[in-house]
Amino acid sequence: MNRKTKTAIAAGVLVVATGATTGVAVATGGDDTEGPITGDALKQASDAALEFTGGGKVTDTEVGDEESYYEVEVTLGNGDQVDVQLDKAFQVVDSKNEGSEDPADD
């Protein structure tokens, strides 16, 4: 294994470990027309969304969502998913409770 490959693997492990310890899901992105929130903005958007929902786990994020500047999907303890819409200043502008994504609930 060359040095570049080892460095890439180490960086990936660090990202996964960081996501696991912060409660922020590493797999983000949505429908691939918008990109995931990254860097400091990811932490700020996640913190704002979790404060709004009163907890849960961030399971998806998007920058440039069709409804707002940022969208953060939070899965609550009961399985419901809430899409929290944020402006550029990380202020909540809207939200939508998507309910549970569990097919058994249908």
Side-chain angles (χ1 to χ4, degrees):
M1 203 179 301
N2 68 31
R3 183 178 172 174
K4 217 177 204 183
T5 302
K6 287 179 184 178
T7 302
I9 291 170
V13 169
L14 179 61
V15 168
V16 170
T18 301
T21 60
T22 61
V24 175
V26 176
T28 59
D31 64 6
D32 294 333
T33 59
E34 295 85 18
I37 304 171
T38 60
D40 290 337
L42 175 60
K43 176 160 179 27
Q44 289 180 286
S46 297
D47 289 348
L50 291 171
E51 181 179 337
F52 177 78
T53 60
K57 181 177 179 180
V58 173
T59 50
D60 198 10
T61 67
E62 292 179 6
V63 176
D65 179 68
E66 66 277 356
E67 297 173 31
S68 61
Y69 194 78
Y70 297 112
E71 179 180 274
V72 178
E73 180 184 277
V74 176
T75 301
L76 304 176
N78 65 2
D80 283 359
Q81 293 182 338
V82 179
D83 291 339
V84 181
Q85 308 294 329
L86 305 167
D87 63 16
K88 286 184 180 183
F90 305 99
Q91 301 297 310
V92 176
V93 295
D94 198 10
S95 70
K96 182 177 180 185
N97 188 327
E98 299 289 330
S100 175
E101 292 290 321
D102 185 353
D105 291 344
D106 292 338

